[in-house]
């Protein structure tokens, strides 16, 4: 299984927390028709299980620049109370083994950067120690979009949001959070790219000194079928019109460039280069 990629003076590594079927294709992409699904079935073998549920990979990307170890997103985490059965009170060690495979411990992470604040992207931000949620990456600065944080904290005041309570607030309380604007950059290797629509303040992160050698998408796209048809929204995209626009703009921006596009949920190998396919796009995994 391909887990490691090299680009210019950086390496990027997939850290897998869980692979599991999610929703049925029609439920996940409400505008999808049985006919369109059948027309595309021949190239979707890795994406669908036997009951036509989309299989998702829940993974983080660990980017090693010449200066920092940067973790983009932190998956589901363990012991979190969540509504989906495969997310709920999970206790596997896949994520920690993924770090250890690279000779790293959580203390070696310099930055954790979150694309948005959903439960499958902030989970390992914290872990349960003596009944308390404490930041997992003890030496890290945690980077969050300010707009996403404003939205989440306002929502949390109406009805408490479990991922915000157990995976974000403990980091803020320890003074380890940095709330950043759209023009955020870290040195000359890391830049933020606003990609709103799935959530209000959703962002992607771009890496590379002279150009975007790689980009971590977050949830601006969930499954490969949305590359061929960028107008197919995920049922839970908060602003469907904006999500469509962001998805197409993003794919067009990187289409036929060498940039490695690292998706959060595509089946393995999950990261490739964007190529044109008719009116849409496809992923080229030849790297
Ligand atoms: Zn997600």
């Amino acid at each position: 299984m391909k887990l490691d990629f090299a680009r210019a003076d950086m390496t990027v590594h997939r850290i897998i927390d869980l692979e599991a079927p999610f929703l049925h294709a029609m439920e996940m992409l409400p505008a999808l028709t049985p006919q369109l699904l059948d027309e595309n079935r021949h190239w979707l073998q890795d994406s669908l299980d036997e009951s036509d549920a989309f299989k998702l990979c829940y993974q983080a990307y660990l980017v090693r620049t010449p200066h920092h170890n940067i973790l983009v997103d932190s998956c589901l985490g363990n012991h979190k109370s969540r509504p989906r059965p495969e997310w709920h009170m999970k206790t596997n060690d896949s994520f920690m083994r993924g770090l250890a495979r690279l000779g790293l411990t959580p203390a070696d992470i310099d930055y954790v950067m979150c694309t948005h604040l959903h439960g499958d992207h902030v989970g390992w931000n914290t872990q349960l120690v003596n009944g308390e949620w404490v930041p997992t990456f003890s030496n890290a600065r945690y980077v969050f979009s300010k707009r996403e944080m404003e939205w989440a904290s306002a929502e949390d005041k109406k009805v408490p949001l479990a991922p915000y309570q157990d995976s974000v607030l403990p980091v803020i309380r320890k003074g380890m959070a940095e709330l950043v604007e759209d023009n955020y950059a870290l040195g000359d290797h890391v830049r933020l790219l606003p990609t709103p629509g799935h959530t209000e303040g959703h962002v992607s992160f771009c890496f590379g000194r002279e150009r975007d050698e790689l980009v971590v998408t977050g949830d601006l796209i969930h499954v490969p079928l949305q590359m061929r048809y960028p107008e197919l929204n995920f049922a839970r995209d908060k602003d469907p019109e904006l999500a469509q626009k962001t998805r197409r703009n993003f794919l067009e921006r990187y289409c036929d460039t060498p940039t490695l596009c690292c998706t959060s949920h595509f089946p393995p190998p999950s990261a490739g280069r964007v190529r044109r396919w008719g009116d849409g796009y496809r992923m080229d995994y030849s790297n």
Side-chain angles (χ1 to χ4, degrees):
M1 184 192 289
K2 186 150 178 67
L3 297 169
D4 311 307
F5 306 82
R7 280 294 186 277
D9 53 0
M10 303 173 296
T11 56
V12 56
H13 311 273
R14 296 168 57 218
I15 312 280
I16 300 168
D17 196 16
L18 187 73
E19 291 176 85
F22 190 58
L23 302 176
H24 187 276
M26 307 294 175
E27 193 186 343
M28 185 148 180
L29 308 174
L32 181 62
T33 62
Q35 191 195 348
L36 194 63
L37 181 61
D38 282 340
E39 279 170 29
N40 287 277
R41 203 177 277 285
H42 65 281
W43 66 276
L44 291 175
Q45 322 72 315
D46 296 338
S47 259
L48 293 168
D49 76 358
E50 57 287 348
S51 62
D52 281 350
F54 277 118
K55 294 191 275 184
L56 298 191
C57 192
Y58 297 92
Q59 62 195 333
Y61 287 90
L62 189 278
V63 185
R64 299 175 110 164
T65 74
H67 315 292
H68 299 113
N69 292 326
I70 300 172
L71 187 75
V72 184
D73 285 346
S74 65
C75 317
L76 293 159
N78 276 356
H79 308 109
K80 308 262 157 145
S81 178
R82 299 288 183 256
R84 285 199 61 80
E86 73 274 22
W87 298 15
H88 183 64
M89 296 294 173
K90 190 171 77 56
T91 56
N92 66 339
D93 64 353
S94 170
F95 183 89
M96 286 300 170
R97 277 192 290 114
L99 275 186
R101 184 183 71 85
L102 303 171
L104 297 174
T105 71
D108 295 318
I109 303 300
D110 302 305
Y111 286 89
V112 179
M113 299 186 175
C114 295
T115 60
H116 64 299
L117 300 181
H118 283 166
D120 57 323
H121 294 259
V122 297
W124 278 107
N125 279 5
T126 59
Q127 57 187 348
L128 201 54
V129 178
N130 299 325
E132 232 184 286
W133 295 111
V134 301
T136 306
F137 308 98
S138 53
N139 296 314
R141 303 292 299 163
Y142 286 69
V143 174
F144 303 104
S145 148
K146 191 171 166 220
R147 196 178 324 136
E148 180 78 352
M149 190 65 85
E150 283 167 357
W151 166 79
S153 63
E155 289 293 304
D156 182 67
K157 283 191 185 77
K158 291 183 232 159
V159 183
L161 294 176
Y164 182 75
Q165 295 275 334
D166 58 36
S167 305
V168 177
L169 271 184
V171 172
I172 296 175
R173 289 196 183 114
K174 289 270 185 201
M176 297 165 77
E178 283 184 30
L179 305 188
V180 304
E181 309 276 356
D182 287 352
N183 61 356
Y184 172 77
L186 175 64
D188 50 9
H189 273 84
V190 189
R191 294 164 296 283
L192 183 152
L193 177 68
T195 45
H198 177 62
T199 61
E200 210 118 321
H202 188 284
V203 298
S204 303
F205 289 97
C206 311
F207 296 83
R209 203 154 61 91
E210 268 146 21
R211 61 179 189 198
D212 293 351
E213 301 287 351
L214 61 104
V215 58
V216 183
T217 63
D219 280 0
L220 72 93
I221 189 162
H222 283 79
V223 292
L225 191 58
Q226 290 175 295
M227 289 197 74
R228 186 162 191 194
Y229 308 106
E231 280 68 39
L232 287 179
N233 274 326
F234 172 39
R236 291 172 199 166
D237 286 335
K238 176 121 194 304
D239 181 336
E241 233 167 273
L242 185 58
Q244 282 179 6
K245 203 167 136 220
T246 291
R247 195 175 306 114
R248 189 170 272 283
N249 285 347
F250 179 93
L251 293 169
E252 189 58 37
R253 176 190 183 102
Y254 291 111
C255 184
D256 295 330
T257 74
T259 304
L260 184 72
C261 184
C262 304
T263 67
S264 292
H265 295 306
F266 280 23
S270 313
R273 290 171 300 172
V274 180
R275 295 291 175 259
R276 201 169 300 283
W277 187 5
D279 187 35
Y281 309 87
R282 65 182 174 86
M283 198 70 106
D284 171 7
Y285 292 114
S286 65
N287 293 305

